Amino acid sequence: MAKKLLFIYNPQAGKGKIRSKLSDIIEVLVDGGWEVTVYPTKKRGDAVCAARITKGSYQYIVCSGGDGTLDEVVTGMMQGEERIPVGYIPAGSTNDFASSLGLPKNMVEAARIAVGGKKFSCDVGAFNEDTFVYIAAFGIFTDVSYETPQSFKNVLGHMAYILEGMKRLPSLRTYCLEVECNGETIADEFLFGMITNSTSVGGLKKITGKYVELNDGLFEITLIRKPKNALELNQIMTALVTESMDAESIVHAKTDRIVFRSEETVSWTLDGEYGGSHTLVTIENKPQAIEIVVPVYEE
């Protein structure tokens, strides 16, 4: 009896480059011994619905698109009756989580890894009733990924995020938050915050912290307080540009649970997509909740 694989892909991701590679990718999956069902997404949320697996319907999912597509697939999987391994063929503009997993940019090579790699049990984030794979964030720059038009991303790639984000600098907004983490409570005004399980964010390799493990049951926390003066603002911007994230106004921590409270609603982004506006956010680490297929390296 043939093994059944569901292949979910976003034809608009990146520069639509998957369209020229689609036949080659499917051939690799079929040659791997799978009976392949192909599901192209047409709108946001399609991959969530497709990945709500009924028990026994498929033995494997492979998805292709940006990190937002992977987020939808994992979200659907967490909502479904059965959790099966996930293969990922990155095709987005930045592909932060793919980089963390060591997956190549070459889509056909990534397809070969999907059918010939090894399973890696990866942590997943619970955000209130929602799910995220590698980042939940608020504040400056975080709305860029979901407000930047897809056509703009397709033409300029990662530069689109930078150009769009620079527009926010003249009108920095801060958020009054009460943050509970590791038995302590911090009440302050914050410019930015991110809860991550990734070695890079926005294509930057060093801003999530040192010694990042994707399966240790812990998130890396980065909070940037409101700068008190121009000097502190300059220190923050220097820390971002140099990827050092070393400034007096920047708070770092590791935790498996964090709670944010505010009087005004705060808009969040989850894996680059709009995550809603909230006054209360509880984020918890679900350790090794999903199996993702990654490269096999010779020792």
Side-chain angles (χ1 to χ4, degrees):
M1 186 174 179
K3 301 178 294 181
K4 293 185 177 181
L5 180 154
L6 177 61
F7 176 46
I8 301 171
Y9 76 97
N10 178 1
Q12 303 301 321
K15 299 178 181 179
K17 57 187 176 182
I18 190 173
R19 296 176 184 180
S20 64
K21 301 293 184 182
L22 189 57
S23 177
D24 293 335
I25 290 170
I26 294 173
E27 183 177 355
V28 169
L29 301 179
V30 171
D31 288 347
W34 294 95
E35 178 183 305
V36 180
T37 298
V38 180
Y39 185 98
T41 63
K42 296 182 179 179
K43 62 183 185 300
R44 184 180 176 187
D46 279 358
V48 177
C49 296
R52 290 187 188 125
I53 298 299
T54 302
K55 192 170 184 179
S57 54
Y58 295 98
Q59 289 78 51
Y60 189 27
I61 286 183
V62 174
C63 66
S64 184
D67 289 331
T69 301
L70 178 64
D71 172 274
E72 288 199 9
V73 167
V74 172
T75 297
M77 185 89 66
M78 297 292 285
Q79 296 173 358
E81 296 179 9
E82 188 173 21
R83 296 180 190 174
I84 59 178
V86 176
Y88 182 30
I89 301 172
S93 301
T94 306
N95 302 311
D96 282 310
F97 198 64
S99 175
S100 298
L101 295 170
L103 296 173
K105 294 181 180 179
N106 183 294
M107 298 176 68
V108 176
E109 182 58 32
R112 293 192 183 101
I113 291 170
V115 294
K118 65 178 181 179
K119 298 174 185 176
F120 172 73
S121 296
C122 183
D123 298 344
V124 171
F127 178 98
N128 289 351
E129 302 301 318
D130 212 332
T131 299
F132 67 97
V133 176
Y134 77 99
I135 183 171
F138 68 88
I140 185 172
F141 295 120
T142 57
D143 60 347
V144 172
S145 59
Y146 58 80
E147 285 193 357
T148 304
Q150 184 66 52
S151 58
F152 193 29
K153 296 179 190 177
N154 288 348
V155 172
L156 295 179
H158 180 59
M159 183 58 66
Y161 295 105
I162 298 173
L163 294 176
E164 194 71 13
M166 292 300 289
K167 298 177 183 177
R168 272 63 174 179
L169 292 180
S171 55
L172 297 178
R173 181 183 174 185
T174 58
Y175 304 85
C176 294
L177 297 170
E178 184 179 89
V179 184
E180 293 181 13
C181 178
N182 295 331
E184 297 183 2
T185 299
I186 302 172
D188 212 329
E189 285 187 75
F190 295 94
L191 183 68
F192 171 80
M194 64 180 181
I195 296 85
T196 59
N197 191 43
S198 176
T199 59
S200 72
V201 169
L204 304 178
K205 296 285 188 180
K206 301 176 183 178
I207 68 171
T208 59
K210 299 178 180 178
Y211 314 115
V212 176
E213 299 288 343
L214 306 184
N215 61 350
D216 62 357
L218 298 173
F219 292 122
E220 282 67 42
I221 311 299
T222 302
L223 302 173
I224 302 180
R225 290 188 173 98
K226 176 184 177 180
K228 297 183 177 67
N229 48 53
L231 178 60
E232 285 194 0
L233 177 58
N234 184 62
Q235 289 174 343
I236 291 169
M237 297 309 298
T238 299
L240 290 169
V241 170
T242 61
E243 302 179 40
S244 66
M245 299 305 285
D246 184 18
E248 190 174 331
S249 300
I250 301 178
V251 178
H252 297 286
K254 284 180 178 282
T255 190
D256 61 355
R257 186 177 189 272
I258 188 168
V259 179
F260 295 85
R261 293 185 177 87
S262 60
E263 293 187 3
E264 294 184 86
T265 58
V266 177
S267 294
W268 287 77
T269 179
L270 304 178
D271 295 334
E273 302 294 332
Y274 181 57
S277 296
H278 309 272
T279 57
L280 175 62
V281 167
T282 300
I283 296 174
E284 296 181 318
N285 189 293
K286 301 296 182 182
Q288 303 183 21
I290 291 290
E291 287 185 324
I292 297 180
V293 177
V294 299
V296 177
Y297 295 107
E298 294 183 4
E299 297 187 5

